[in-house]
């Protein structure tokens, strides 16, 4: 009795077909699951909470205000933020920044790709020794009218816990608010050859970023703001899901979670402070240096 040899070529082709169909079904079900999730859960409020806030986190060189949603074509929708460059002087005019999430989970934000210019450099080098030392900053500030408004990045000698930063605020009578943001992670601008991780933007937080969305029971107490600001940041990170596409903002889920768990503040972004007030911070041993991003006269007078 002859035993017929199996047709191995036929078996191989059949196996490839099975694998192909399985892969196609997996992708199809994944897409359907994503579409259904977005169809059921998607609304302007979540877009504002996750992607609108991510845009603010990743772009500290801009003041981005509350946005509005618009129905897009077919599977897309558009969420538009209004804002302006973070300059010390008068506004250069309102600009619009579009965030476009679609039902397949992809987000485009072509106008929002991270801080630029002096802001970008100042935040990138927060963990390095300064190339601009205190005495040079003092010389620069002392040579300028002390009533000038300034936008700057304050670099600490060592990252601070909330408790340390509260003590710092008490010494300098800093109450936080719109003119103080906390850098929870400096930007990571170069690829790490050991892990092939992509560059990531700094994580910069200000209490106004989610004030109308998730503030709720959070209460601010002047110099003790860092504690509540961190709680608010962690609460926001808890709203971000693994599948949220944050690549348009050069952020990702793990990066945000690490910054939230770590909770250390590497520096401050100061918005429209008087040079005289900035100058006082240079005398604090916990301040490594200050990098000026912009200075200008306030023609409207003191507010």
């Amino acid at each position: 009795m002859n035993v017929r040899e199996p047709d191995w070529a036929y078996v191989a082709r059949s196996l490839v077909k099975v694998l192909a169909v399985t892969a196609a079904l997996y992708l199809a079900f994944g897409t359907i699951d994503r579409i259904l999730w977005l169809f059921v859960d998607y609304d302007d409020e979540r877009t504002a909470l996750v992607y609108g806030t991510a845009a603010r986190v990743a772009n500290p060189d801009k003041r981005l205000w509350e946005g509005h949603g618009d129905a897009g074509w077919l599977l897309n929708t558009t969420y538009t933020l209004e804002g302006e460059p973070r300059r010390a002087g008068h506004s250069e005019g309102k600009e619009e920044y579009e965030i476009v999430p679609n039902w397949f989970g992809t987000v485009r934000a072509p106008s929002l790709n991270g801080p630029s210019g002096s802001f970008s450099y100042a935040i990138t080098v927060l963990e390095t020794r300064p190339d601009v030392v205190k005495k040079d900053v003092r010389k620069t500030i002392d040579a300028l009218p002390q009533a000038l408004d300034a936008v700057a990045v304050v670099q600490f000698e060592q990252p601070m816990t909330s408790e340390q930063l509260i003590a710092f605020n008490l010494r300098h009578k800093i109450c936080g608010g719109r003119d103080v943001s906390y850098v929870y992670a400096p930007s990571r601008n170069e690829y790490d050859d050991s892990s092939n991780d992509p560059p990531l933007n700094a994580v910069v937080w200000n209490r106004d970023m989610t004030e109308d969305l998730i503030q709720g029971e959070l209460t601010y107490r002047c110099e003790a703001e860092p504690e509540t600001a961190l709680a608010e940041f962690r609460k926001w990170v808890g709203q971000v899901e693994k599948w949220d596409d944050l690549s348009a903002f050069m952020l990702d889920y793990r990066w945000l979670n690490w910054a939230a768990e770590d909770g250390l503040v590497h520096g401050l972004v100061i918005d429209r402070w008087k040079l005289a007030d900035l100058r006082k911070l240079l005398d604090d041993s916990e301040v490594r240096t200050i990098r000026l991003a912009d200075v200008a006269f306030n023609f409207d007078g003191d507010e």
Side-chain angles (χ1 to χ4, degrees), residues 42-100:
Y42 177 79
D43 56 27
D44 286 344
E45 186 174 346
R46 189 169 195 281
T47 301
L49 177 63
V50 175
Y51 299 122
T53 304
R56 295 181 178 96
V57 167
N59 292 271
D61 60 329
K62 304 176 183 72
R63 299 184 189 94
L64 297 175
W65 309 310
E66 185 177 355
H68 58 273
D70 300 297
W73 65 275
L74 196 57
L75 300 179
N76 289 337
T77 188
T78 301
Y79 186 76
T80 305
L81 285 166
E82 295 179 352
E84 64 183 11
R86 194 180 298 278
R87 303 295 301 273
H90 281 285
S91 169
E92 296 182 353
K94 182 175 68 175
E95 297 180 16
E96 290 189 343
Y97 303 90
E98 288 189 348
I99 300 170
V100 185

Side-chain angles (χ1 to χ4, degrees), residues 244-261:
D244 288 325
D245 179 17
L246 302 174
S247 58
F249 314 106
M250 290 177 64
L251 298 171
D252 68 27
Y253 179 80
R254 290 188 303 165
W255 183 240
L256 291 173
N257 271 274
W258 171 83
E261 290 175 9

Side-chain angles (χ1 to χ4, degrees), residues 33-286:
D33 179 69
R34 164 60 86 175
I35 292 174
L36 289 176
W37 174 81
L38 284 166
F39 182 79
V40 172
D41 198 41
Y42 177 79
D43 56 27
D44 286 344
E45 186 174 346
R46 189 169 195 281
T47 301
L49 177 63
V50 175
Y51 299 122
T53 304
R56 295 181 178 96
V57 167
N59 292 271
D61 60 329
K62 304 176 183 72
R63 299 184 189 94
L64 297 175
W65 309 310
E66 185 177 355
H68 58 273
D70 300 297
W73 65 275
L74 196 57
L75 300 179
N76 289 337
T77 188
T78 301
Y79 186 76
T80 305
L81 285 166
E82 295 179 352
E84 64 183 11
R86 194 180 298 278
R87 303 295 301 273
H90 281 285
S91 169
E92 296 182 353
K94 182 175 68 175
E95 297 180 16
E96 290 189 343
Y97 303 90
E98 288 189 348
I99 300 170
V100 185
N102 63 36
W103 280 18
F104 297 98
T106 303
V107 176
R108 290 187 292 107
S111 299
L112 294 167
N113 55 2
S116 59
S118 55
F119 249 110
S120 175
Y121 181 71
I123 293 173
T124 299
V125 299
L126 275 176
E127 289 189 322
T128 64
R129 300 304 302 179
D131 53 359
V132 179
V133 296
K134 278 188 177 183
K135 66 177 183 179
D136 295 327
V137 180
R138 286 193 186 95
K139 191 181 298 183
T140 299
I141 292 178
D142 290 344
L144 295 169
Q146 298 299 287
L148 282 177
D149 285 348
V151 174
V153 176
V154 177
Q155 182 177 359
F156 294 142
E157 281 289 352
Q158 299 292 335
M160 291 193 193
T161 64
S162 294
E163 292 77 12
Q164 290 170 323
L165 192 51
I166 287 171
F168 179 86
N169 284 0
L170 286 168
R171 286 199 301 275
H172 298 286
K173 296 181 171 59
I174 299 174
C175 283
R178 292 185 178 182
D179 57 5
V180 178
S181 299
Y182 308 104
V183 184
Y184 289 121
S187 55
R188 190 178 70 194
N189 273 3
E190 296 182 359
Y191 280 93
D192 182 350
D193 292 336
S194 64
S195 65
N196 293 320
D197 287 336
L200 292 168
N201 269 322
V203 178
V204 183
W205 187 262
N206 181 278
R207 82 185 207 186
D208 285 337
M209 287 182 176
T210 57
E211 190 171 26
D212 297 329
L213 298 171
I214 64 170
Q215 184 179 10
E217 71 280 1
L218 298 177
T219 302
Y220 290 93
R221 294 181 294 108
C222 198
E223 294 94 341
E225 182 192 73
E227 189 175 68
T228 313
L230 177 58
E232 185 183 69
F233 173 58
R234 286 172 169 166
K235 188 171 183 179
W236 173 71
V237 171
Q239 304 295 313
V240 179
E241 302 288 354
K242 290 182 180 179
W243 50 77
D244 288 325
D245 179 17
L246 302 174
S247 58
F249 314 106
M250 290 177 64
L251 298 171
D252 68 27
Y253 179 80
R254 290 188 303 165
W255 183 240
L256 291 173
N257 271 274
W258 171 83
E261 290 175 9
D262 187 55
L264 296 178
V265 176
H266 297 251
L268 303 175
V269 173
I270 300 297
D271 192 9
R272 287 175 173 167
W273 274 29
K274 298 298 181 188
L275 279 179
D277 296 324
L278 265 178
R279 172 68 169 76
K280 295 174 184 176
L281 298 184
L282 285 170
D283 296 327
D284 195 301
S285 61
E286 293 189 280

